[in-house]
Amino acid sequence: MSAVTLPSPADLGAAVLARLDELAAITDEPGKITRLYLSKSHRRAATLVEGWMRDAGMSVTLDPVATLIGTYPGSDPDAPHLLLGSHIDSVRDAGKFDGTLGVVAAIEIVRRLNAAGKRLPFGLTVLAFGDEEGVRFPSTLSGSAAVAGRFNGAILDEKDEEGITRRAALAEFGAPEGDPAAPWQGQSGLGYLELHIEQGPVLEAENRPVGLVTAIQGVTRGSCRVIGSAGHAGTVPMPLRRDALTAAAEMVLAVERIGRETEGLVATIGQLRVPGGAVNTIPGVVEFSLDFRSEIDAVRKDAEARIRKAIEAVALARKVEARLAYTYEAPASECDPGLRLLMAEAAEATVQKPIRLLASGAGHDAMSFRGKLPFMMLFVRSKAGISHSPEEFTSEADLGIATATLFRAVLDLAKKHA
Ligand code: GLV
Ligand code: MN
Ligand code: MN
């Protein structure tokens, strides 16, 4: 392979930021960034990203679970592929960097290679997943699970809050019919690399632009429906009430207490609903979500049992019914040591100092590849560690350093395969 000149981090940062801004304008809530899986805005974002992929020299397909797959063959068209990517869905009222950065940076790398007429000894496949945040349906990471060959067909019948199934939403989106679990050539790839914002405060506190991910912590998600008895706010005496909301409040605090008291566990109730709630009605039904995580699977599994017990105890004491279901789980997933070394050398060459290792508290598409393909993640500094918020920020300079690091890692791997 002839030498490829690595673009300057400044050039890469400017190119990446311009595209992040374009994507940020695509939303279902004007004035905010809200792009849930298979929404109208996800559809528009996929069309935009597909155009970028084609302009960068890739052929593009959409898979049955709405992952955009951009393909840039290697010098030998039959050579295996290195996978790069992240996600283009968002939480509600999100920032503009979470997920999109990994997609946009990967496209920019292919665009530069194609513009220089360069083919590598392996192909590059850029993946724009759509279901990383798991905000719309009970389970999550379906796009990367399908590519990795671990898709669970049962989730196609899952429903969103409006009762729309994944199956129906995929048809509405225009995803092609087909078996999402069918083997795909990516499954015999060389590995998967994902660039992502840190979403935490560590790199900023230590004045480091990038960091290397060691592992992604495991997660359990669930939902709980608390059923008490609705009644008139003025007529039912306090001792005779079976208030679902006050019971749920105690359950929420019990979950928080378990999170606080357990070393290495974080526990969050991010959604609480009082369906049909009114100012003058004692709540008869309340629903809340659960999300708890640990780097140690045994700690998380133990928490599953303790949280269930705590919720049942509150339900018994308050004479309500609690229907708790754990709807999704993924174990802690370790990054590949070989790819970590590759990324470490690329990062050190880019920033000229030793690179910090850190674990990921957030979940990522990369974890779908556990046990299937070696994977590695590169984190870039987030301002004040803020994410899942419009305040999310990474500087243009850092975007450039991170993209240059990923680019260098790809080129270094190409040298090893030459
Ligand atoms: C995604 O951001 C997650 O960690 O839930
Ligand atoms: Mn993300
Ligand atoms: Mn996120």
Side-chain angles (χ1 to χ4, degrees), residues 258-399:
I258 290 170
R260 281 180 191 270
E261 286 170 359
T262 311
E263 179 82 24
L265 185 78
V266 286
T268 306
I269 310 291
Q271 292 169 311
L272 183 76
R273 280 182 292 273
V274 186
V279 64
N280 55 355
T281 302
I282 302 161
V285 174
V286 166
E287 294 160 347
F288 61 88
S289 63
L290 293 118
D291 178 306
F292 46 97
R293 310 183 187 212
S294 176
E295 277 177 58
I296 303 163
D297 288 332
V299 168
R300 183 175 51 82
K301 295 308 280 182
D302 184 54
E304 279 183 12
R306 286 163 58 216
I307 285 172
R308 183 177 290 283
K309 233 172 119 183
I311 286 176
E312 283 169 0
V314 174
L316 191 69
R318 286 192 163 262
K319 299 190 175 58
V320 297
E321 189 188 341
R323 295 188 192 153
L324 170 63
Y326 292 131
T327 53
Y328 176 80
E329 82 164 312
S333 310
E334 213 173 309
C335 292
D336 178 68
L339 289 177
R340 192 205 295 173
L341 188 62
L342 174 85
M343 196 68 87
E345 286 171 358
E348 279 173 20
T350 307
V351 305
Q352 302 290 315
K353 67 175 187 181
I355 310 298
R356 191 193 206 285
L357 303 177
L358 70 173
S360 174
H364 297 288
D365 286 298
M367 66 204 293
S368 291
F369 293 97
R370 65 188 181 275
K372 301 282 185 181
L373 266 192
F375 68 87
M376 176 61 201
M377 291 195 72
L378 177 70
F379 273 175
V380 59
R381 166 166 56 189
S382 294
K383 182 160 184 235
I386 296 171
S387 183
H388 286 183
S389 153
E391 303 292 308
E392 185 176 278
F393 180 78
T394 294
S395 72
E396 183 175 333
D398 283 356
L399 295 174

Side-chain angles (χ1 to χ4, degrees), residues 86-87 89 98-99 132-133 194 196-197 199 362-365 388:
S86 195
H87 61 98
D89 63 319
D98 179 357
E132 193 266 1
E133 299 293 4
E194 180 169 352
H196 203 284
I197 54 166
Q199 306 178 277
H364 297 288
D365 286 298
H388 286 183

Side-chain angles (χ1 to χ4, degrees), residues 175-196:
E177 282 182 22
D179 177 7
W184 172 72
Q185 54 131 5
Q187 289 156 25
S188 61
L190 292 174
Y192 172 79
L193 302 180
E194 180 169 352
L195 167 60
H196 203 284

Side-chain angles (χ1 to χ4, degrees), residues 102-127:
V103 175
V104 163
I107 293 172
E108 182 60 15
I109 289 168
V110 176
R111 191 182 75 78
R112 298 277 180 160
L113 290 170
N114 186 54
K118 298 295 176 201
R119 295 278 162 188
L120 305 179
F122 44 79
L124 291 173
T125 292
V126 177
L127 299 157

Side-chain angles (χ1 to χ4, degrees), residues 8-327:
S8 73
D11 280 0
L12 291 171
V16 162
L17 183 58
R19 288 193 166 168
L20 291 177
D21 283 333
E22 270 193 75
L23 264 174
I26 300 181
T27 174
D28 281 321
E29 282 191 283
K32 298 177 179 172
I33 301 173
T34 298
R35 217 167 37 240
L36 303 197
Y37 180 46
L38 303 179
S39 60
K40 289 195 166 53
S41 59
H42 178 203
R43 179 63 265 182
R44 283 160 51 217
T47 301
L48 179 66
V49 170
E50 178 178 352
W52 290 342
M53 286 175 165
R54 291 196 194 283
D55 289 347
M58 288 179 255
S59 54
V60 187
T61 55
L62 185 70
D63 84 355
V65 283
T67 298
L68 270 179
I69 303 175
T71 307
Y72 185 71
S75 42
D76 168 1
D78 295 328
H81 278 228
L82 176 68
L83 278 48
L84 307 171
S86 195
H87 61 98
I88 56 172
D89 63 319
S90 81
V91 294
R92 294 191 172 92
D93 200 10
K96 71 179 178 196
F97 302 90
D98 179 357
T100 47
L101 170 59
V103 175
V104 163
I107 293 172
E108 182 60 15
I109 289 168
V110 176
R111 191 182 75 78
R112 298 277 180 160
L113 290 170
N114 186 54
K118 298 295 176 201
R119 295 278 162 188
L120 305 179
F122 44 79
L124 291 173
T125 292
V126 177
L127 299 157
F129 299 114
D131 185 26
E132 193 266 1
E133 299 293 4
V135 173
R136 181 165 177 186
F137 294 102
S139 61
T140 187
L141 298 182
S142 64
S144 43
V147 170
R150 56 162 18 102
F151 185 81
N152 167 16
I155 69 165
L156 290 171
D157 295 317
E158 281 183 348
K159 291 184 181 149
D160 69 5
E161 272 174 22
E162 289 165 22
I164 300 168
T165 62
R166 280 180 180 267
R167 204 186 296 280
L170 283 163
E172 170 80 21
F173 187 90
E177 282 182 22
D179 177 7
W184 172 72
Q185 54 131 5
Q187 289 156 25
S188 61
L190 292 174
Y192 172 79
L193 302 180
E194 180 169 352
L195 167 60
H196 203 284
I197 54 166
E198 181 199 344
Q199 306 178 277
V202 174
L203 295 174
E204 182 179 67
E206 296 181 9
N207 191 24
R208 297 171 183 277
V210 290
L212 303 166
V213 180
T214 51
I216 304 169
Q217 66 180 346
V219 58
T220 297
R221 283 185 178 180
S223 61
C224 185
R225 187 172 166 85
V226 183
I227 302 162
S229 180
H232 194 291
T235 63
V236 184
M238 297 306 284
L240 299 184
R241 295 182 179 203
R242 291 168 56 235
D243 183 328
L245 182 57
T246 49
E250 266 189 42
M251 293 170 188
V252 169
L253 290 173
V255 172
E256 186 198 42
R257 194 164 47 249
I258 290 170
R260 281 180 191 270
E261 286 170 359
T262 311
E263 179 82 24
L265 185 78
V266 286
T268 306
I269 310 291
Q271 292 169 311
L272 183 76
R273 280 182 292 273
V274 186
V279 64
N280 55 355
T281 302
I282 302 161
V285 174
V286 166
E287 294 160 347
F288 61 88
S289 63
L290 293 118
D291 178 306
F292 46 97
R293 310 183 187 212
S294 176
E295 277 177 58
I296 303 163
D297 288 332
V299 168
R300 183 175 51 82
K301 295 308 280 182
D302 184 54
E304 279 183 12
R306 286 163 58 216
I307 285 172
R308 183 177 290 283
K309 233 172 119 183
I311 286 176
E312 283 169 0
V314 174
L316 191 69
R318 286 192 163 262
K319 299 190 175 58
V320 297
E321 189 188 341
R323 295 188 192 153
L324 170 63
Y326 292 131
T327 53

